[in-house]
Amino acid sequence: MTFTNLFGAPPSELAEISADARQFSPLFPGAENLHDLAPGSLKNLAMLAPPGAIERRHSLALALRALAPGAPFLVLAPKDKGGGRLARELAEFGCACNETSKRHHRICSAEADGDQAAIEAAIAAGAPRFSDTLGLWTQPGVFSWDRIDPGSAFLIRHLPEFSGRGADFGCGLGLLAHAILRSERVKALALVDIDRRAIELCRRNVADERAKIVWADARAVNPQILGLDSLDFVAMNPPFHEGGAESRALGLAFIDKAAAMLRKGGQCWLVANRHLPYEAALARNFREVRQVAEEGGYKIVEGRK
């Protein structure tokens, strides 16, 4: 059948999706939120299930609550990223399925049904919560949701006292933003992330009138429309995984976008795993490039426009 509701981006050869399907994944800026739907209101759903166990069960439970009883529900995931557990997890929700395997994915076809108590328990388990360890609101599935990422911690220790207008690309929970906003010389800071959950958490975590929180893919931001042109600084811990695989293109695109948004003399500060070859992209975009620090497999590099 052709699915008119979508969570994530299942491979087109494994699921037939309508060209105007409604998207519900938090990783697609502008998508709707399954949590906001009335129970039983969806007629069908195709889902590329997330890899994290708590996040996946939370997403499955939200879908089962939103789907009408008996509605077609197609769930798939790579075998090594949760696919092997899908059928069992659906059964634990009281939802039987037919399971097949194709192109390294496990595919579960089901008719929506389930144990409401189990569904609500999984929704609660994956909901936002306050972390005493982080001192921030967090949620399973968001980058570094249960610990301080060592790369970000390293960058925070070496940040200069920024001034003027800037941006935090891939802001996550807002850890880096907190450090940047300690400087009274910072006039405005845009927090940009592709993950709706991170953006919602930042709205709880960063209570500063200088912060502008933007749900967007940093690679696709239009600086003029968002008022983010001629910035004085950009700081970032760019992601280097997409769809579970390493992708150096993400960091390279972040660097290109930062250069496009900075004024002459503006600064780009980034932390990255030491093996990632970002220096050539920095040299191409910036007048001056220097390595600030290196430690424990990470490096901090500054580029000046």
Side-chain angles (χ1 to χ4, degrees):
M1 68 163 293
T2 300
F3 286 86
T4 57
N5 299 293
L6 184 62
F7 185 104
S12 58
E13 64 271 23
L14 302 182
E16 187 175 339
I17 309 296
S18 169
D20 58 351
R22 297 166 69 187
Q23 176 63 254
F24 291 94
S25 169
L27 301 180
F28 286 72
E32 299 177 69
N33 191 342
L34 281 176
H35 190 276
D36 296 336
L37 295 181
S41 59
L42 279 189
K43 295 181 179 180
N44 60 66
L45 182 68
M47 171 181 287
L48 179 63
I54 302 174
E55 176 191 11
R56 184 175 59 253
R57 288 178 58 83
H58 181 256
S59 299
L60 289 171
L62 286 174
L64 287 170
R65 186 175 70 177
L67 283 161
F73 185 27
L74 181 72
V75 193
L76 60 153
K79 294 176 183 178
D80 60 348
K81 293 182 174 62
R85 295 184 287 275
L86 283 178
R88 183 176 72 248
E89 289 172 343
L90 285 166
E92 289 170 355
F93 288 127
C95 183
C97 71
N98 294 318
E99 185 180 21
T100 58
S101 182
K102 185 177 181 181
R103 295 187 179 272
H104 307 292
H105 285 68
R106 291 288 178 85
I107 306 165
C108 292
S109 299
E111 293 182 355
D113 193 5
D115 178 334
Q116 293 305 310
I119 289 170
E120 293 302 328
I123 290 172
R129 79 282 306 270
F130 187 81
S131 167
D132 292 328
T133 301
L134 296 169
L136 298 170
W137 282 87
T138 186
Q139 184 175 6
V142 175
F143 173 69
S144 199
W145 72 273
D146 58 351
R147 62 187 175 86
I148 297 176
D149 168 64
S152 297
F154 183 38
L155 179 57
I156 287 169
R157 293 203 310 272
H158 289 84
L159 279 179
E161 185 179 6
F162 288 126
S163 62
R165 299 166 54 249
D168 173 4
F169 284 178
C171 60
L173 304 174
L175 275 169
L176 185 57
H178 270 282
I180 293 170
L181 290 167
R182 290 188 197 124
S183 171
E184 295 182 357
R185 298 168 60 195
V186 171
K187 303 303 180 187
L189 179 68
L191 283 66
V192 183
D193 205 288
I194 197 171
D195 192 333
R196 178 185 62 230
R197 298 164 300 182
I199 291 303
E200 291 172 348
L201 292 166
C202 276
R203 291 185 178 128
R204 294 188 179 196
N205 291 330
V206 185
D208 192 306
E209 62 182 11
R210 295 172 293 169
K212 179 178 184 177
I213 300 172
V214 182
W215 181 22
D217 183 342
R219 298 169 294 178
V221 165
N222 185 314
Q224 286 73 34
I225 290 177
L226 293 176
L228 299 179
D229 52 335
S230 299
L231 296 179
D232 299 294
F233 65 89
V234 173
M236 57 179 159
N237 179 3
F240 64 99
H241 286 91
E242 188 167 35
E246 182 173 312
S247 173
R248 300 176 181 184
L250 287 168
L252 297 174
F254 270 45
I255 290 167
D256 289 343
K257 181 59 69 171
M261 294 169 68
L262 286 163
R263 64 167 175 80
K264 185 176 181 181
Q267 303 168 264
C268 174
W269 280 65
L270 70 85
V271 64
N273 289 59
R274 187 168 52 191
H275 74 279
L276 293 170
Y278 292 154
E279 285 78 4
L282 286 159
R284 184 176 66 249
N285 282 288
F286 294 93
R287 178 172 46 88
E288 298 177 19
V289 177
R290 71 181 181 100
Q291 182 166 300
V292 176
E294 185 177 318
E295 178 182 291
Y298 293 92
K299 61 186 175 185
I300 296 172
V301 185
E302 177 200 10
R304 279 189 181 265
K305 188 81 176 285

